[in-house]
Amino acid sequence: MVHRQVATIAWFEADSICGSHSVAIPLVLVLPYLCRFFQCLRQYKDTKEKTCLLNALKYSTAVPVIFLSALKYHVFPDAWTSFYRPLWLISSVVNSLYSFYWDINRDWDLSILTRIFMFKNPSVLTNLLYGRSWVYYWVLGSNLVLRCTWTYKLSAHLRHNYLTVFAITALEMVRRFQWVFFRVENEWNKMTAKQNFEMSSDMLPSEGDRLLDSNSHKV
């Protein structure tokens, strides 16, 4: 973009100007993860909740994936194949599985390891999706696959394949929409349950009312 290689045929030859060897690529990729990492640390400082540290750990697992990927163009091929690529694969698996676990267990409260899904009666506007178990199994499976796919996209292996990168990026937009959809649903369920609990608590008689109730006394 700085060299005006936008919306032209030369855009496909941008490697000749920017180059896949550029140090700017991993720095730009890692910046959002570092921002969220420090946000989680600040949240822990304010709230002292340990889950904030675990969330910060999740974002930190993306850093090795990005920088190990960038090393491909700065090390010998034999060293990459025998040493750095196995490390990159391990870090990718850790990042994908940790992020997947956090999505289903923390953000969506859908732990497939601890309980069977519980569904309420669907409302008029949400009966097409909400309350149908196959939707939740679908989103779990697709989230796992797309988490792994997105991690692979961070690799330097695909930077020359523009169609593949475009397809993976489009699928990542779908995954993020799914995440937002079920995250909002989960928060709405929590708010509704809290409101129902507060209403039921207000309807219960207080201890003083029970003591003063004439029916509870015998003369």
Side-chain angles (χ1 to χ4, degrees):
M1 293 173 64
V2 172
H3 294 277
R4 299 181 181 178
Q5 303 297 320
V6 180
T8 63
I9 299 299
W11 172 262
F12 293 98
E13 300 176 358
D15 283 348
S16 62
I17 297 177
C18 301
S20 299
H21 302 65
S22 175
V23 181
I25 294 178
L27 292 179
V28 171
L29 288 175
V30 80
L31 185 60
Y33 296 96
L34 290 180
C35 290
R36 287 293 294 124
F37 175 79
F38 288 113
Q39 284 179 345
C40 293
L41 293 183
R42 178 53 191 265
Q43 288 178 337
Y44 174 74
K45 180 181 178 181
D46 295 338
T47 64
K48 302 302 181 182
E49 294 183 1
K50 294 183 179 180
T51 54
C52 297
L53 294 179
L54 296 176
N55 199 17
L57 179 62
K58 181 192 71 171
Y59 289 105
S60 67
T61 58
V63 177
V65 180
I66 296 173
F67 283 101
L68 286 173
S69 174
L71 284 177
K72 180 183 180 182
Y73 296 105
H74 302 279
V75 297
F76 291 106
D78 293 339
W80 167 257
T81 303
S82 60
F83 182 73
Y84 291 104
R85 186 169 67 179
L87 288 179
W88 176 81
L89 289 173
I90 293 174
S91 60
S92 298
V93 171
V94 171
N95 174 259
S96 298
L97 295 183
Y98 196 163
S99 300
F100 173 73
Y101 164 78
W102 197 268
D103 287 342
I104 65 172
N105 196 62
R106 297 289 183 175
D107 293 335
W108 296 342
D109 287 339
L110 293 176
S111 179
I112 58 177
L113 302 178
T114 58
R115 65 178 184 271
I116 301 176
F117 297 149
M118 303 292 292
F119 303 104
K120 299 179 181 178
N121 294 327
S123 64
V124 177
L125 298 179
T126 59
N127 59 359
L128 294 179
L129 293 177
Y130 183 59
R132 299 179 183 271
S133 58
W134 67 267
V135 175
Y136 294 85
Y137 288 108
W138 157 259
V139 77
L140 288 176
S142 61
N143 187 70
L144 176 61
V145 172
L146 294 179
R147 275 290 186 185
C148 298
T149 304
W150 177 249
T151 304
Y152 188 69
K153 186 257 181 188
L154 297 177
S155 168
H157 307 75
L158 298 178
R159 288 177 189 163
H160 64 282
N161 194 331
Y162 306 103
L163 293 178
T164 303
V165 172
F166 175 80
I168 293 178
T169 305
L171 291 174
E172 174 65 9
M173 294 174 64
V174 174
R175 186 196 68 78
R176 289 174 182 268
F177 170 77
Q178 288 186 158
W179 182 90
V180 171
F181 184 89
F182 288 94
R183 184 77 171 95
V184 171
E185 180 192 63
N186 183 36
E187 290 300 319
W188 174 261
N189 289 338
K190 288 181 179 179
M191 292 174 59
T192 304
K194 183 179 180 180
Q195 292 175 356
N196 293 337
F197 176 78
E198 292 176 350
M199 292 178 60
S200 61
S201 299
D202 294 338
M203 294 177 62
L204 293 176
S206 63
E207 184 177 358
D209 294 337
R210 292 196 301 268
L211 293 175
L212 295 176
D213 187 5
S214 60
N215 294 330
S216 61
H217 297 277
K218 294 183 179 179
V219 179

